[in-house]
Amino acid sequence: MGEKIVAGGFALSDRQRHREKLRQCLDAFARLLKEKRFERPKNLMGLEIELNLAGPDGMPRMLNDQVLERIASGDFQTELGQCNLEVNIVPHRMHGRVLDQLSEELRTGLAYADRKAGEVAAGIVMIGILPTLAADDLVPANLSRADRYRLLNDELLAARGEDFTIDIAGVERLTCTSASIAPEAACTSVQLHLQVTPRRFADVWNAAQAVAAVQIAVGANSPFLFGRELWRESRPPLFVQSTDTRSPELSAQGVRPRTWFGERWIDSAQDLFEENLRYFPPLLPISSDEDPMKVLDDGGAPHLSELALHNGTIYRWNRPVYAVSDGVPHLRVENRVLPAGPTVADVIANTAFYYGLVRALCEQPRPVWTRLPFAMAAENFDVACRDGIEARLHWPRPGRGPSVARTPAVRLVLEELLPLAAAGLDAWGVERTDRDRYLGVIAERCRRRINGASWQSDTYHHTLATGLAREDALAAMTRRYCTLMRTGEPVHTWPVGAAG
């Protein structure tokens, strides 16, 4: 949703024209695939991180305009809520010392942003959901001051026709309603992009879907929402419910939510774009003057802006992306599974694990998605969100035909998936020293059964036991988290105990 959009009403004719333009875009996309007009592989990856703003007291700060003005860098942008920012790292080739390069760029950029935020008594926090956020913080008045967010909010709310309902039962239960999509701003994630050829797209997307649950199990970092302890990774259920345009009746009929894991393995990128048009009505019927078929006839690369805009309002955990760069179209898989944080070291470890594992799984002679039913992959995702590092996941048994067994995630990672990730990073040409350093972070999380979510929960309960009230214990835990985050040491090394 990075496009500039000017708020305004839509006429019936706007929606009819937009739907027709979407069909034209899909036809043009199919022609691009058939005529093999996409960019040749460059092994490019990209990284985006959504961030929170909090004060020295651990409480949220609705100051992103002021902070961005002080940062004054195009690498940092607004996000949905005024307590959010996003940082974008320029694309890198997956090769050599790329992991350490990413780490250094992130450390430098975040430290600078943190200093600038300090000028208005705020700080940068990398965390899936800021534990001190209250429902009263995420209201329409605290949406970022950009037309696209207001317009998206208005259209989602109009499509639903009533307040959004948040109802999540985990360690505790949270029920509330919202007259806007503002609760979605509680969710801050890491987005990993991988540019792929059309021929490789389906394999990469299928592999990313298969490992989404494993990513959550080892990387969960969002156990609290609005003062309640819920799932180990509470972002996915919150995201589903805070953008859900379905009434209860439509949900009961099986209408798909706009935040969606999917329902099948795919054979082509076109499968996903077709599903997006078939199942989801456009929210923002903004049409360009581009005639995509004429652009193709003239030898150009159409931007397919209607398709790209529609795609940006469907929140798949692994999203297909079409874009044009330097006049040449390309495809990316955007992995949106991971929460932000806890530290740069943890983010780069999660990044290394994902890219290495996807590469290795794509090159297996019998890919995992041919042996794991899609319904089990979807179930794995929910289980990992609920249980985090303690999750037990369905996974095909090595060398035993089609048999699938439930295995503790930590054992699966240590015994099978980390060696695969290492082989995948070797195939990318990543420096072995960096490979071992960052995959070692994942290994230690599994051996110690500690990730961001378990640390938050354990520290909160230790602090609560000292006699502090719930809100004070959450604030104390958040302050301790921020202190340790700034050390840069990975979360599995953090001491667990009462936070002061």
Side-chain angles (χ1 to χ4, degrees), residues 359-437:
R359 174 71 183 257
L361 292 179
C362 285
E363 296 182 354
Q364 287 185 315
R366 293 186 62 231
V368 64
W369 55 92
T370 66
R371 297 176 287 139
L372 180 69
F374 192 91
M376 287 188 179
E379 181 185 341
N380 279 349
F381 187 71
D382 284 344
V383 168
C385 290
R386 287 179 182 274
D387 299 338
I389 200 102
E390 301 298 332
R392 295 174 59 87
L393 306 176
H394 297 289
W395 200 259
R397 294 181 178 180
R400 298 189 186 181
S403 179
V404 174
R406 287 193 81 159
T407 305
V410 292
R411 184 196 304 167
L412 176 65
V413 171
L414 287 170
E415 296 180 359
E416 184 173 347
L417 301 186
L418 275 173
L420 282 173
L425 292 175
D426 287 345
W428 285 118
V430 170
E431 172 65 40
R432 291 196 172 199
T433 302
D434 292 355
R435 176 202 71 182
D436 293 343
R437 177 185 304 120

Side-chain angles (χ1 to χ4, degrees), residues 124 131 181 196 272 322 324 343 384 425 463 473 489:
I124 300 295
I181 64 169
V196 294
L272 300 178
Y322 168 90
V324 177
T343 67
L425 292 175
T463 305
E489 295 299 318

